[in-house]
Amino acid sequence: MRPEHFRIARVMIDGGREVCVRLFGDLDGDARDELRRELVDAVHDNAAPLVVVDLHGARFLDSEAIGVLLDGLLRVQEAGKTACIVNARGVVRTVLQVTGILDLFGATAESSAGLGVPGGTRVLPLPDRPGPAESLPREAT
């Protein structure tokens, strides 16, 4: 059995107004089923009007993970909720730009202002275009 190479965490934020699905590591075919479950649960297990996918910790997305991500984000919209992606960087950001997913589910500063974990770090919003904001460190709160 190989060591865990991905992790997915779902957290409620801002008094239940946002649900955040945080992705870590290499998301490939092994992550497909768990990612699908977390995204479906993020849509249906709460009344939060905003579903945010935080890719700060993601190093790689293969085509299966991209397909599940796209399907999940479309389910969010079909449920009448808002979907956005934050903190995509490096090769993950490039893949999402090339596939057009960032154009469909871009993030604004307002949509990610409440992202964070109790006693943890505040997550930076995805900038509209590459620039200095991508190189800012994560702030401890």
Side-chain angles (χ1 to χ4, degrees):
M1 184 171 173
R2 72 180 181 177
E4 183 180 281
H5 62 279
F6 73 90
R7 189 166 47 92
I8 302 170
R10 183 168 39 105
V11 295
M12 295 302 296
I13 298 172
D14 198 17
R17 291 187 293 190
E18 296 181 21
V19 60
C20 180
V21 178
R22 292 191 169 124
L23 307 180
F24 303 90
D26 299 329
L27 294 127
D28 54 17
D30 293 341
R32 178 191 60 230
D33 295 336
E34 185 176 342
L35 179 56
R36 180 175 286 117
R37 264 190 314 273
E38 288 297 333
L39 290 171
V40 167
D41 289 350
V43 174
H44 299 293
D45 283 358
N46 61 79
L50 176 62
V51 177
V52 177
V53 175
D54 179 2
L55 295 169
H56 185 272
R59 294 183 306 247
F60 173 78
L61 293 173
D62 79 353
S63 60
E64 288 187 66
I66 291 168
V68 170
L69 183 62
L70 180 58
D71 180 63
L73 293 171
L74 291 172
R75 286 177 188 241
V76 170
Q77 288 184 334
E78 288 171 357
K81 298 182 178 192
T82 302
C84 69
I85 295 172
V86 295
N87 297 320
R89 55 197 172 107
V91 69
V92 171
R93 181 181 176 90
T94 301
V95 167
L96 294 176
Q97 282 177 319
V98 168
T99 59
I101 294 174
L102 280 186
D103 291 337
L104 292 173
F105 305 103
T108 64
E110 299 83 44
S111 68
S112 56
L115 292 178
V117 287
T121 57
R122 183 175 64 81
V123 184
L124 299 173
L126 179 68
D128 290 332
R129 57 186 172 278
E134 288 184 305
S135 61
L136 291 174
R138 291 169 58 109
E139 293 180 17
T141 55

